[in-house]
Amino acid sequence: GSHIVLPTLPEEHEMSEECVNTARGYVNHEAGHIVHTDFDAMNMMKEECKRDGNKSLPMLHNALEDIWLEKRVNAEYAGSMDTIAATARSVNKAFLARHAEWSDEEREQQLSEEGVGAVALTWEGRKHYGDNTLCQECLDLLPDEVRSKLPARIAALDHCNNTQDV
């Protein structure tokens, strides 16, 4: 809750503008956790889930927390939406490349609610960051029964004031 760790690159590594914006997006996002996330509440929830054998709730909560805090970061810091959108685009581009290589069976498994639930929430929550995030392209891959549940879950974040509310 007090340190951001990013991968190190060799000093001579030449970074493209896209790569720089992606890295800045990670910093903006992770700084948002430091400022807005209640790590004690999050850790308590994770411990409860561990005791109850609930493996999916921590991932779903983290996805919702990500969207909740990004809304605050984007409102507080001009330009942060552009860099967070660059990060989303980079991650989604990698997902779409993997998706293209999956078999039909893998696609069905990976795009089920259980397989894609948490990341699907982030696609829905970030789709208004701009057309170039590739969020809509990712959402379009989902079965209707998965995609139809997402808007209400993201809209519910508007009523959240802290990590416990999320």
Side-chain angles (χ1 to χ4, degrees):
S2 62
H3 293 84
I4 296 172
V5 179
L6 297 173
T8 56
L9 298 170
E11 282 185 38
E12 67 277 358
H13 181 76
E14 203 56 42
M15 289 180 65
S16 68
E17 184 177 342
E18 180 181 357
C19 189
V20 169
N21 284 334
T22 299
R24 287 179 177 156
Y26 277 115
V27 170
N28 288 339
H29 173 90
E30 296 304 329
H33 277 296
I34 290 173
V35 173
H36 295 289
T37 297
D38 179 343
F39 289 97
D40 290 336
M42 185 176 279
N43 289 333
M44 210 166 21
M45 181 269 302
K46 285 180 181 178
E47 285 301 315
E48 285 178 31
C49 288
K50 197 177 198 179
R51 279 194 310 271
D52 296 342
N54 187 336
K55 295 178 182 176
S56 60
L57 184 59
M59 291 183 292
L60 293 169
H61 180 270
N62 186 67
L64 290 167
E65 179 88 4
D66 284 351
I67 299 305
W68 174 79
L69 73 86
E70 286 175 4
K71 184 175 184 177
R72 280 147 185 73
V73 170
N74 290 336
E76 294 167 348
Y77 302 103
S80 62
M81 186 182 296
D82 293 340
T83 62
I84 292 173
T87 304
R89 180 176 50 256
S90 175
V91 170
N92 294 342
K93 190 180 193 180
F95 170 82
L96 291 168
R98 285 191 314 274
H99 173 268
E101 296 175 359
W102 290 338
S103 67
D104 290 342
E105 185 178 306
E106 287 171 315
R107 278 192 185 101
E108 188 176 329
Q109 179 186 17
Q110 294 293 327
L111 297 177
S112 69
E113 187 169 9
E114 187 176 299
V116 77
V119 72
L121 288 165
T122 65
W123 294 334
E124 182 68 28
R126 292 177 178 139
K127 71 181 183 183
H128 71 279
Y129 292 4
D131 292 337
N132 62 359
T133 62
L134 304 174
C135 288
Q136 190 60 56
E137 288 86 337
C138 294
L139 287 165
D140 290 344
L141 299 172
L142 299 176
D144 290 341
E145 65 270 10
V146 175
R147 194 174 51 238
S148 66
K149 297 175 183 178
L150 300 172
R153 293 187 171 131
I154 295 302
L157 293 173
D158 291 342
H159 305 290
C160 297
N161 296 310
N162 54 48
T163 298
Q164 285 182 304
D165 290 351
V166 172

